[in-house]
Amino acid sequence: MPVFAVLAHTEPALFSRLVERLAPYPVVVHVDARSRSADFAGVPRTTYVRDRVAVRWGAFSVVRATLALYRTALEFARPSEHIVLLSGQCYPTRPVGEFAAYLASAPFRQHCRAAGVLDDKDTAGRVLKRWCLDAVPTGPGPTYLPRALLRRGISELTPRRRPSVFGDIEPVAGSQWTALTADCVADLLGKAEDPGWENLFRTTHAPDEMFFHTLVWNSGWRDEVEDPVLRPRAGRVTADFSNFHHLDRQLRGTRTLADLPAIEASRMYFVRKVASPQSAQLLDALDGRT
């Protein structure tokens, strides 16, 4: 039986609706420390992470929140069961029982597609430049432009790291939303909490798409992914490495009813990113079909 691990930061009503759709499976949620925990409280079948992290988009704080989420999820998942990572703005597109059956019957156990990052100029910049997104946070407001310029200045003016900083580790990246078995997660947490491993990714851009993937792909768990051969990125983007989500190719915007045909054609089990009220008709349509 899968355990769903959800990173939530906004729209409590949408989160509650998501949990209802995930029934009867258990849900563990990390509520961003910058959000009011009381707004998300009281949702049935939900366990709340106690050690909450203030999350900044694209920053290492997302990894810290995910680590806290995984630690709690391990209390509920048996070794062979999957811990499925979702956001509070994901939503099922098919009956969740079908997804559980897919996880149980798939010929591979770890749903963590990825490609290398050092063989592509753009993705190499994500790990070799110095990004300080926790120190200089993102977000809207009157100070957005000065903060954006400061972040850009830090990343451009600070000496770049050399690829040799990774030694014999091959950094990889993929979609943040994975399904890993509990025995895999438990093993990786011991390595993830090594300060040396954190230092490899603490100043990278969007480390949530690399940190755990690199752990999987540089361990024996790599033999349990769908295709353990690490192939060149060859212009592929994050959406091309989706494990079970329908994703906008540029990871932009909010999905609406107009996206329903593409969602259905994809045969994926979840969609992101949804929001209220823009996605209301889409969610109603998905509920009616599942």
Side-chain angles (χ1 to χ4, degrees):
M1 180 173 69
V3 173
F4 290 95
V6 181
L7 291 164
H9 74 283
T10 188
E11 298 209 48
L14 180 60
F15 167 70
S16 181
R17 184 172 181 171
L18 169 64
V19 173
E20 182 178 352
R21 284 292 315 280
L22 294 176
Y25 303 98
V27 175
V28 177
V29 59
H30 174 278
V31 178
D32 191 332
R34 297 188 298 152
S35 303
R36 281 170 37 91
S37 60
D39 293 343
F40 293 83
V43 179
R45 286 187 358 274
T46 300
T47 300
Y48 296 82
V49 175
R50 293 181 180 178
D51 299 326
R52 297 163 61 209
V53 177
V55 176
R56 304 290 184 182
W57 179 87
F60 195 78
S61 51
V62 184
V63 172
R64 293 194 174 102
T66 306
L67 287 169
L69 188 57
Y70 275 151
R71 292 187 198 103
T72 303
L74 283 173
E75 299 175 13
F76 300 89
R78 290 191 286 265
S80 62
E81 293 178 331
H82 285 88
I83 298 175
V84 182
L85 191 63
L86 300 175
S87 82
Q89 292 181 285
C90 297
Y91 205 74
T93 62
R94 299 166 62 179
V96 70
E98 289 186 6
F99 179 60
Y102 161 70
L103 292 177
S105 63
F108 53 97
R109 298 178 72 215
Q110 313 308 330
H111 300 253
C112 183
R113 301 177 65 206
V117 297
L118 294 178
D119 62 350
D120 180 273
K121 179 181 178 181
D122 292 335
T123 54
R126 291 173 54 181
V127 295
L128 300 181
K129 289 183 179 181
R130 303 275 187 172
W131 303 86
C132 299
L133 297 176
D134 281 318
V136 188
T138 60
T143 60
Y144 174 79
L145 181 58
R147 283 182 290 162
L149 292 174
L150 180 56
R151 289 195 308 274
R152 175 59 62 89
I154 291 172
S155 64
E156 294 295 338
L157 298 177
T158 303
R160 291 166 61 101
R161 301 192 298 177
R162 297 181 181 274
S164 59
V165 70
F166 287 96
D168 58 359
I169 296 169
E170 178 71 37
V172 303
S175 171
Q176 177 184 0
W177 317 110
T178 61
L180 305 176
T181 55
D183 52 359
C184 173
V185 171
D187 179 52
L188 297 184
L189 282 186
K191 302 172 184 177
E193 293 169 347
D194 182 331
W197 189 267
E198 175 178 327
N199 286 339
L200 288 177
F201 294 93
R202 187 165 43 83
T203 59
T204 61
H205 188 278
D208 47 285
E209 296 176 350
M210 299 182 282
F211 186 88
F212 299 101
H213 302 67
T214 303
L215 279 168
V216 169
W217 280 77
N218 287 268
S219 71
W221 299 106
R222 173 176 175 168
D223 295 333
E224 297 189 2
V225 303
E226 182 178 11
D227 179 5
V229 177
L230 190 64
R231 306 182 191 282
R233 180 162 293 269
R236 290 177 292 172
V237 297
T238 299
D240 295 321
F241 298 95
S242 172
N243 297 293
F244 41 83
H245 276 78
H246 172 77
L247 300 172
D248 174 74
R249 186 163 175 77
Q250 300 304 318
L251 304 182
R252 295 175 180 171
T254 299
R255 307 284 66 77
T256 68
L257 185 61
D259 295 294
L260 183 59
I263 292 170
E264 291 180 324
S266 74
R267 299 296 297 161
M268 290 294 188
Y269 293 93
F270 291 86
V271 60
R272 75 176 316 274
K273 156 179 170 181
V274 298
S276 301
Q278 302 98 310
S279 306
Q281 290 181 302
L282 172 63
L283 301 189
D284 290 342
L286 292 174
D287 285 348
R289 294 169 184 267
T290 58

